[in-house]
């Protein structure tokens, strides 16, 4: 099979945004054959970018489920990660934790102004505001999406963190992010983080519902 770098990137993107899945599942989403996806997957496995496990099912043969390896993270770059980590270390050394907290609060204040302006056309509907927030985050590189859950809540999922290195060095960034979402969605919204990349999850996700 001829090497098709674009098709392989499509397979990687599916695993990044949809999580572990079989070749058949990826093929349906990409509108290609399962055989074509398998060929890409085995090539990617040789490159150390994907791995699989055979999972038993109630009926039939075990299903081969594919997932990204840690090496695949390089295909989804962290925005200026090394430089940001160095700046965080310099701020801590110069101004201490109090200075770092002040810096984070100022960053959140600026983000809040920007996000509120972007979400204003969505009105007061929490669902519409959540969808608008997902659009903003998607533009900023978080591979974000927002879906309505069976119970009526919204699930905001971010399949990539472009500031992961910085967040690892300064977890206050994640704390401020949650505060930002709560502030921008309004007092009537309850926002709970359900998945966290730094805790080992494949994505960050937030359940958004109407507060009591």
């Amino acid at each position: 099979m001829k090497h098709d770098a674009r098709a392989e990137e499509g397979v990687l993107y599916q695993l990044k945004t949809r999580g572990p899945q079989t070749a058949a599942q990826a093929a349906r989403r990409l509108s290609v054959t399962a055989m074509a996806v398998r060929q890409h997957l085995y090539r990617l496995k040789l490159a150390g970018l994907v791995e699989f496990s055979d999972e038993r099912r109630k009926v039939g043969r075990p299903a081969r489920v594919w997932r990204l390896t840690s090496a695949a993270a390089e295909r989804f770059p962290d925005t200026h990660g090394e430089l940001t980590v160095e700046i965080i270390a310099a701020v801590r050394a110069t101004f201490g934790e109090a200075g770092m907290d002040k810096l984070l609060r100022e960053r959140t204040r600026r983000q809040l102004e920007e996000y509120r302006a972007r979400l204003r056309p969505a009105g007061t509907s929490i669902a519409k505001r959540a969808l608008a927030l997902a659009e903003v985050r998607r533009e900023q590189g978080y591979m974000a999406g927002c879906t309505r859950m069976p119970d009526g809540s919204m699930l905001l999922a971010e399949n990539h963190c472009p500031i992961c290195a910085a967040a690892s060095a300064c977890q206050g960034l994640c704390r401020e992010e949650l505060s930002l979402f709560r502030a921008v969605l309004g007092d009537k919204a309850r926002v709970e983080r359900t998945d966290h990349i730094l805790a080992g999850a494949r994505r960050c996700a937030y359940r958004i519902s109407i507060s009591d």
Side-chain angles (χ1 to χ4, degrees):
M1 179 182 177
K2 184 179 179 181
H3 181 223
D4 187 338
R6 180 175 294 183
E8 288 184 1
E9 289 295 330
V11 173
L12 289 173
Y13 183 81
Q14 283 297 318
L15 292 175
K16 178 69 172 174
T17 58
R18 300 280 186 168
Q21 56 195 286
T22 65
Q25 289 172 322
R28 285 195 295 273
R29 289 166 178 150
L30 293 168
S31 299
V32 298
T33 67
M35 179 60 72
V37 170
R38 287 190 191 96
Q39 290 175 316
H40 292 310
L41 285 167
Y42 281 110
R43 190 189 296 273
L44 291 167
K45 183 177 184 298
L46 289 175
L49 299 176
V50 301
E51 59 189 7
F52 66 81
S53 60
D54 291 328
E55 299 183 0
R56 291 185 176 277
R57 301 293 168 93
K58 292 181 179 180
V59 179
R61 299 170 58 185
R64 179 153 292 183
V65 178
W66 295 84
R67 59 182 53 80
L68 298 179
T69 66
S70 56
E74 296 179 3
R75 295 294 188 97
F76 306 93
D78 193 339
T79 306
H80 308 299
E82 185 175 346
L83 174 61
T84 307
V85 170
E86 290 176 358
I87 292 174
I88 288 172
V91 170
R92 276 203 175 105
T94 306
F95 302 106
E97 286 299 327
M100 175 58 67
D101 287 343
K102 185 175 181 179
L103 177 64
L104 293 176
R105 287 195 298 271
E106 174 60 19
R107 175 178 181 267
T108 300
R109 185 190 68 77
R110 291 169 180 249
Q111 285 182 300
L112 185 56
E113 287 183 359
E114 176 193 354
Y115 283 30
R116 278 177 171 163
R118 291 290 304 274
L119 268 63
R120 193 168 293 123
T124 59
S125 165
I126 291 176
K128 290 181 179 179
R129 292 179 71 81
L131 289 169
L133 176 59
E135 177 63 24
V136 174
R137 300 292 283 183
R138 185 159 52 250
E139 291 175 5
Q140 294 178 342
Y142 288 85
M143 293 188 183
C146 192
T147 55
R148 186 181 295 275
M149 304 303 289
D151 64 359
S153 65
M154 304 295 288
L155 184 69
L156 171 64
E158 297 183 337
N159 295 289
H160 178 60
C161 179
I163 61 165
C164 194
S168 297
C170 179
Q171 296 195 20
L173 283 166
C174 294
R175 180 190 67 240
E176 288 294 318
E177 189 171 72
L178 187 56
S179 298
L180 171 66
F181 291 173
R182 287 170 173 163
V184 78
L185 289 171
D187 295 338
K188 293 182 179 180
R190 178 189 293 118
V191 184
E192 304 168 274
R193 182 184 281 123
T194 59
D195 298 85
H196 195 193
I197 291 174
L198 293 187
R202 72 166 185 84
R203 66 181 186 179
C204 286
Y206 304 83
R207 182 176 177 270
I208 302 166
S209 57
I210 298 176
S211 61
D212 297 328

